[in-house]
């Protein structure tokens, strides 16, 4: 069964001024579409053809085309979901308590997450994960993710794309400014849902 590009849950310009409409359009309709198309091509006629994306991610380490495109497919699905217009602010409830426990405070979380995103050399992702019931921050290269056994090997509940295609039109070489802007579009309600699901 072929994977399909999910519809964005908001308009391309919905995250402005933090992420511009042209970047969102190219990122979703070209980059994410290409990962989806190329994943389908890479698994066609193989034992993975009818596997779930999670099964694919845990068994693709030695299959570069599946690894790169399967990661690209899954990572962007999460990325679109954990952003929203009129979002940002801070988490509440059990997620907020877990963030305080793991990072000392919400500001401590932001510092650690921004550091992971800033120091990822080249292209990759920064992640907030649930690992053995606790929160951890890590980063991975390219389109890898923790479900593949990379990084902290937990379940990602928040991901930030730090490939240049995610920010270059507005921010050029200023990745730290893009990372800072990301905090204004995080959909903490959705991240909380993913946190609760990952604890089960
Ligand atoms: Mn991307």
């Amino acid at each position: 069964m072929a994977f399909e590009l999910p519809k964005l849950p908001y308009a391309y310009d919905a995250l402005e001024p933090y992420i511009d409409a042209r970047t969102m359009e190219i990122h979703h309709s070209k980059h994410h579409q290409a990962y989806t198309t190329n994943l389908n091509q890479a698994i066609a006629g193989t034992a993975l053809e009818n596997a779930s994306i999670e099964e694919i991610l845990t068994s693709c380490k030695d299959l570069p085309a599946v690894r790169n495109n399967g990661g690209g497919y899954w990572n962007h699905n999460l990325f679109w979901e954990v952003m929203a217009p009129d979002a940002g602010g801070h988490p509440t409830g059990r997620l907020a308590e877990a963030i305080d426990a793991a990072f000392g405070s919400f500001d401590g979380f932001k510092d650690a997450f921004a550091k992971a995103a800033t120091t990822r050399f080249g292209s990759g992702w920064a992640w907030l994960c649930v690992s053995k019931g606790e929160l951890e921050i890590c980063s991975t290269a390219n389109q890898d993710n923790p479900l593949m056994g990379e990084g902290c090997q937990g379940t990602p509940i928040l991901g930030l794309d730090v490939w240049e295609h995610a920010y270059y039109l507005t921010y050029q070489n200023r990745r730290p400014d893009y990372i800072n802007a990301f905090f204004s579009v995080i959909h903490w309600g959705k991240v909380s849902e993913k946190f609760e699901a990952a604890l089960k």
Side-chain angles (χ1 to χ4, degrees):
M1 195 177 65
F3 293 101
E4 288 184 12
L5 180 70
K7 281 205 167 65
L8 264 195
Y10 36 78
Y12 286 133
D13 64 359
L15 303 181
E16 290 197 351
Y18 306 105
I19 303 180
D20 68 275
R22 183 77 176 131
T23 294
M24 288 297 295
E25 181 175 5
I26 297 169
H27 203 171
H28 177 259
S29 72
K30 304 296 184 190
H31 291 279
H32 198 187
Q33 178 66 67
Y35 294 123
T36 306
T37 302
N38 293 337
L39 170 62
N40 287 330
Q41 285 176 0
I43 60 174
T46 76
L48 293 173
E49 186 162 26
N50 295 305
S52 70
I53 186 62
E54 287 78 14
E55 290 168 334
I56 288 171
L57 294 184
T58 57
S59 56
C60 65
K61 267 204 156 174
D62 300 321
L63 304 169
V66 180
R67 177 176 179 162
N68 292 335
N69 293 295
Y73 174 75
W74 191 93
N75 295 349
H76 290 84
N77 285 356
L78 176 69
F79 188 46
W80 311 136
E81 273 193 277
V82 297
M83 297 189 289
D86 305 316
H90 54 81
T92 56
R94 295 216 302 175
L95 176 58
E97 290 167 16
I99 283 176
D100 288 347
F103 310 110
S105 64
F106 181 57
D107 282 343
F109 155 77
K110 287 174 71 177
D111 288 347
F113 191 84
K115 185 178 179 199
T118 305
T119 57
R120 166 50 54 188
F121 184 77
S123 298
W125 291 74
W127 305 103
L128 175 65
C129 296
V130 178
S131 182
K132 301 191 179 85
E134 298 192 354
L135 291 174
E136 270 190 54
I137 286 168
C138 68
S139 76
T140 55
N142 304 315
Q143 294 296 353
D144 288 350
N145 75 41
L147 298 177
M148 298 174 181
E150 299 294 322
C152 63
Q153 309 193 15
T155 302
I157 60 172
L158 176 71
L160 174 60
D161 187 343
V162 296
W163 285 56
E164 283 188 344
H165 69 224
Y167 62 87
Y168 205 83
L169 293 182
T170 294
Y171 297 99
Q172 292 86 47
N173 61 319
R174 303 187 309 278
R175 188 191 286 186
D177 291 351
Y178 160 69
I179 295 165
N180 192 45
F182 177 66
F183 291 117
S184 295
V185 296
I186 296 176
H187 183 352
W188 285 110
K190 180 60 75 176
V191 180
S192 277
E193 278 176 32
K194 293 183 175 294
F195 173 65
E196 297 293 337
L199 289 178
K200 284 177 184 148

